[in-house]
Amino acid sequence: MKKWNTAAIRAAKGVERLPCVTAYDYTFARLADNAGIPLVLVGDSLGMTMLGYETTLNVTLDDILRSVSAVSRGVQNACVVADMPFGTYQASPDDAVLNAVKCLQAGADAVKLEGGRNMASLVARLVSSGIPVFGHVGMTPQSVNEYGGFKMQGKSREAADAVFEDAVAIDEAGAFALTLECIPDPLAARITPAVKCPTIGIGAGPSCDGQILVMHDLLGLNTGHVPSFCRKFAKLGEVAANGFSAYADAVRDASFPPSRKVQTCKQDATK
Ligand code: KIV
């Protein structure tokens, strides 16, 4: 199977489409890797999917580092990206470099951070420090309070131009790939040929160079709201719930566990 690093992801633009997913633990990272997924993101969406928060804002660097280390043990070929949590890269570029270094030392190949022109100089600094960066523009969930909810961005002509400029700035700063989240399809179609790095869409239509989905949404594990742009490719939530119920029934009706014929060892038998 092909080994994916950040250079290979960048080189895939125009050659092959890139299916990317989030994962937060060893088991699912291994399954995604075995399926030939090129890029596994330890997203700060883990705040919602794994920790039960309403937004990503509560996620700490330790939450991400623990998951990155588990995911990197589960992956042999995929590129592992650590999402930098809210507050770990905004305060100062020096803090950002130190925190990104921790992500790489935990096992990530690269970091992801949200922002456009406002983050371009930080992206350039990280890249020149040997830390590959996956950019993220459009609807950036760490700005949920500024938006007043998770809302599509870039809808007016002016707002679309702003997202376009953000994408170009992050590309020129040296990002190896760029997430385009929740923007109108025509805007993603305008950005994709205008940047050198592959665009990875989520709610941004089919023109991007790749797609990324939150693992819980695509596998049907999510019990809450599933974004309208997502397709359920499996019904793992249903399968797991049925498994738990079958187990509970079996314990209650005493059909599990069965009695075992245990061979006692000779020494014990003489006692
Ligand atoms: O945190 C996350 O899962 C993400 C993806 C939705 C791109 O940022």
Side-chain angles (χ1 to χ4, degrees):
M1 226 187 262
K2 180 169 173 176
K3 176 86 189 133
W4 289 96
N5 52 32
T6 57
I9 298 282
R10 177 183 265 283
K13 187 174 176 94
V15 178
E16 59 181 300
R17 283 166 66 76
L18 296 162
C20 309
V21 296
T22 67
Y24 317 98
D25 68 3
Y26 170 83
T27 303
F28 279 101
R30 199 154 162 257
L31 290 169
D33 190 60
N34 286 342
I37 298 284
L39 184 148
V40 174
L41 170 69
V42 179
D44 62 356
S45 49
L46 76 79
M48 294 144 103
T49 56
M50 304 298 285
L51 305 177
Y53 293 122
E54 294 283 315
T55 71
T56 58
L57 301 181
N58 303 78
V59 175
T60 65
L61 189 60
D62 282 344
D63 293 332
I64 292 288
L65 294 179
R66 192 172 303 110
S67 274
V68 164
S69 105
V71 164
S72 65
R73 284 191 290 275
V75 156
Q76 280 183 343
N77 297 304
C79 178
V80 175
V81 180
D83 217 357
M84 296 195 69
F86 181 59
T88 64
Y89 60 96
Q90 290 89 347
S92 85
D94 289 346
D95 275 359
V97 173
L98 291 173
N99 290 330
V101 165
K102 287 183 189 163
C103 292
L104 264 57
Q105 288 173 339
D109 299 299
V111 297
K112 179 166 87 53
L113 57 85
E114 298 181 5
R117 285 159 289 176
N118 60 332
M119 288 295 162
S121 63
L122 175 59
V123 171
R125 163 115 187 247
L126 289 165
V127 172
S128 69
S129 308
I131 302 166
V133 177
F134 189 4
H136 186 160
V137 302
M139 201 284 283
T140 49
Q142 291 174 12
S143 302
V144 61
N145 288 337
E146 200 186 318
Y147 303 143
F150 297 108
K151 294 180 182 159
M152 181 180 264
Q153 299 297 304
K155 289 209 277 193
S156 68
R157 178 72 215 195
E158 215 177 36
D161 287 347
V163 175
F164 182 86
E165 294 305 327
D166 285 340
V168 169
I170 295 300
D171 181 51
E172 285 176 351
F176 73 92
L178 181 61
T179 302
L180 301 180
E181 180 161 1
C182 260
I183 58 171
D185 297 7
L187 176 55
R190 184 178 153 207
I191 292 170
T192 296
V195 294
K196 293 181 293 300
C197 67
T199 57
I200 310 296
I202 172 161
S207 306
C208 299
D209 299 302
Q211 295 291 317
I212 187 160
L213 286 177
V214 168
M215 183 197 100
H216 287 59
D217 296 339
L218 85 97
L219 294 180
L221 273 167
N222 201 338
T223 49
H225 167 76
V226 176
S228 56
F229 55 76
C230 186
R231 188 192 297 174
K232 265 192 200 177
F233 290 87
K235 293 182 177 169
L236 289 201
E238 239 173 86
V239 172
N242 290 340
F244 283 135
S245 295
Y247 163 71
D249 289 347
V251 171
R252 287 193 184 104
D253 69 17
S255 62
F256 178 86
S259 54
R260 293 184 300 166
K261 292 191 181 65
V262 178
Q263 200 87 53
T264 43
C265 72
K266 274 184 192 149
Q267 201 184 6
D268 283 343
T270 57
K271 281 186 184 163

